[in-house]
Amino acid sequence: MLIAGLLVSTAGLALFLASLIRVVRANPGRRVPYWREAEITPKWAIAMRAGAAGLLVLGVGLASTAADVAWPWGALPLLLVWVALTIAVIATHNARIRR
């Protein structure tokens, strides 16, 4: 179940990043805020994020059923990657706008 959980979590992370990239591309001349919605949100972007959240939770749940992975520590690397990539995409976009 560990491999299946990692695959599902990776799919959820990819779907979330695809949604975030769509939002960034829809706001070419505007800053994208970190903690609230952007001015322009493309169609299906919120649905993509909801699906990504479901896949992430399902994947972490599947991965945590492995005997050698404890629940909170199995989710931590995925959470760190998710937060780091989100901050990197938004920061890169906002830095381009500033120039």
Side-chain angles (χ1 to χ4, degrees):
M1 293 306 262
L2 178 65
I3 301 299
L6 291 175
L7 290 174
V8 172
S9 296
T10 303
L13 187 62
L15 186 61
F16 181 82
L17 286 174
S19 169
L20 184 61
I21 289 170
R22 286 187 67 186
V23 169
V24 165
R25 287 185 178 166
N27 292 281
R30 299 175 185 89
R31 291 178 49 91
V32 175
Y34 288 97
W35 302 113
R36 55 190 171 90
E37 232 15 80
E39 285 184 40
I40 299 173
T41 304
K43 188 175 184 180
W44 295 100
I46 305 237
M48 288 172 68
R49 285 187 218 156
L55 286 174
L56 285 169
V57 170
L58 177 65
V60 169
L62 287 173
S64 69
T65 60
D68 58 343
V69 178
W71 165 249
W73 302 114
L76 187 62
L78 182 66
L79 178 66
L80 291 175
V81 168
W82 177 49
V83 169
L85 288 175
T86 301
I87 290 171
V89 168
I90 293 174
T92 303
H93 171 74
N94 289 343
R96 286 185 192 150
I97 297 302
R98 205 173 322 148
R99 286 188 225 151

